[in-house]
């Protein structure tokens, strides 16, 4: 097998397929489940997937090179996993950068003076269409008001951890949140390139 792809042009490829049928299988509180029949190649295939609104996440880095981590209960995995601040793109017309600012304030009572897109990821392309836009936030300061937190967010634990220690925890399998993993590795590389 030969490598014919120019690495400078390496990119996901959009494919237009004819959707023959699409059925709402389940309408949920946060997202839905759909079943689509599509023409692909010489035939048709049926795929069920989570129809997701999309989300944003924030790698907040302070002046000491520490990354903000939060820990909260996540029922599907029955764990309090380490994460980065994140939230749904569930306000009509709100762009991802604005949503990221809102989520950092709501989840961590922080605002940032410097924002930049870091990476966008499909979380589970074989099972849902969720895309998460991860931003790097620096120049952090406390918001003027604290936000009330409910449900799983009531007992959020907040820690500031050196990025190299977060990367070590990821590579050693001690933390497994995919969005945190992508964000931490991308931020570590971005900061390394800036140094």
């Amino acid at each position: 097998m030969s490598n014919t792809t120019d690495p400078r042009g390496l990119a996901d490829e959009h494919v237009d397929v004819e959707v023959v049928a699409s059925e709402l299988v389940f309408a949920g509180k946060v997202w839905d489940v759909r079943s689509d029949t599509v023409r692909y190649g010489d035939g048709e295939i049926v795929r069920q997937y989570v129809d997701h609104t999309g989300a944003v996440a924030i790698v907040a880095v302070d002046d000491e090179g520490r990354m903000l981590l939060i820990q909260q209960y996540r029922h599907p995995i029955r764990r309090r996993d380490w994460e980065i601040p994140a939230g749904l793109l569930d306000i009509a017309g709100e762009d991802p950068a604005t949503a990221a600012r809102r989520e950092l304030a709501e989840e961590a009572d922080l605002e940032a003076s410097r924002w930049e897109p870091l990476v966008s990821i499909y979380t589970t392309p074989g099972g849902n269409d969720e895309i998460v836009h991860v931003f790097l936030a620096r120049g952090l300061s406390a918001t003027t008001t604290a936000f009330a937190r409910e449900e799983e967010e009531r007992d959020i634990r907040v820690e500031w951890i050196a990025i190299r220690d977060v990367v070590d925890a990821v590579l050693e399998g001690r933390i497994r949140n995919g969005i945190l993993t992508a964000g931490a590795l991308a931020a570590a590389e971005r900061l390394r390139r800036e140094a």
Side-chain angles (χ1 to χ4, degrees):
M1 216 171 185
S2 67
N3 182 6
T4 59
T5 300
D6 180 348
R8 293 168 295 175
L10 186 63
D12 294 338
E13 179 182 343
H14 179 77
V15 178
D16 284 318
V17 295
E18 179 186 353
V19 178
V20 177
S22 184
E23 175 188 0
L24 179 63
V25 176
F26 172 79
K29 179 181 174 184
V30 179
W31 48 72
D32 299 333
V33 176
R34 300 201 66 81
S35 181
D36 287 356
T37 302
V38 299
R39 290 198 202 291
Y40 191 80
D42 294 334
E44 292 182 353
I45 57 175
V46 177
R47 293 292 180 263
Q48 291 83 31
Y49 62 95
V50 173
D51 186 12
H52 198 283
T53 62
V56 295
I58 304 96
V59 175
V61 177
D62 69 9
D63 294 338
E64 297 174 39
R66 298 177 305 169
M67 184 172 156
L68 174 67
L69 299 186
I70 61 174
Q71 186 185 53
Q72 65 180 344
Y73 176 68
R74 293 299 188 184
H75 184 71
I77 61 172
R78 308 299 197 275
R79 285 175 165 61
R80 288 177 49 82
D81 78 329
W82 287 105
E83 304 179 355
I84 55 179
L88 298 173
L89 285 169
D90 56 357
I91 297 176
E94 185 178 43
D95 72 286
T98 301
R101 286 177 178 82
R102 175 177 50 80
E103 288 296 335
L104 184 61
E106 288 179 6
E107 290 200 356
D109 300 321
L110 290 172
E111 55 191 16
S113 62
R114 295 184 341 202
W115 288 88
E116 58 187 288
L118 187 58
V119 65
S120 292
I121 60 169
Y122 292 112
T123 57
T124 312
N128 70 54
D129 63 355
E130 178 183 27
I131 187 167
V132 179
H133 305 283
V134 184
F135 292 85
L136 180 60
R138 294 185 269 190
L140 304 170
S141 59
T143 57
T144 55
T145 57
F147 284 83
R149 294 179 178 86
E150 300 173 341
E151 298 176 341
E152 296 99 331
E153 293 180 349
R154 263 193 318 244
D155 64 349
I156 278 180
R157 179 178 167 193
V158 176
E159 295 284 344
W160 290 94
I161 308 293
I163 291 179
R164 70 180 171 282
D165 294 332
V166 176
V167 170
D168 286 347
V170 165
L171 295 177
E172 292 169 10
R174 292 182 279 121
I175 54 178
R176 296 183 175 151
N177 182 284
I179 298 167
L180 177 151
T181 297
L185 295 175
E189 179 62 12
R190 172 78 53 86
L191 296 173
R192 185 191 68 77
R193 289 180 182 196
E194 289 177 2

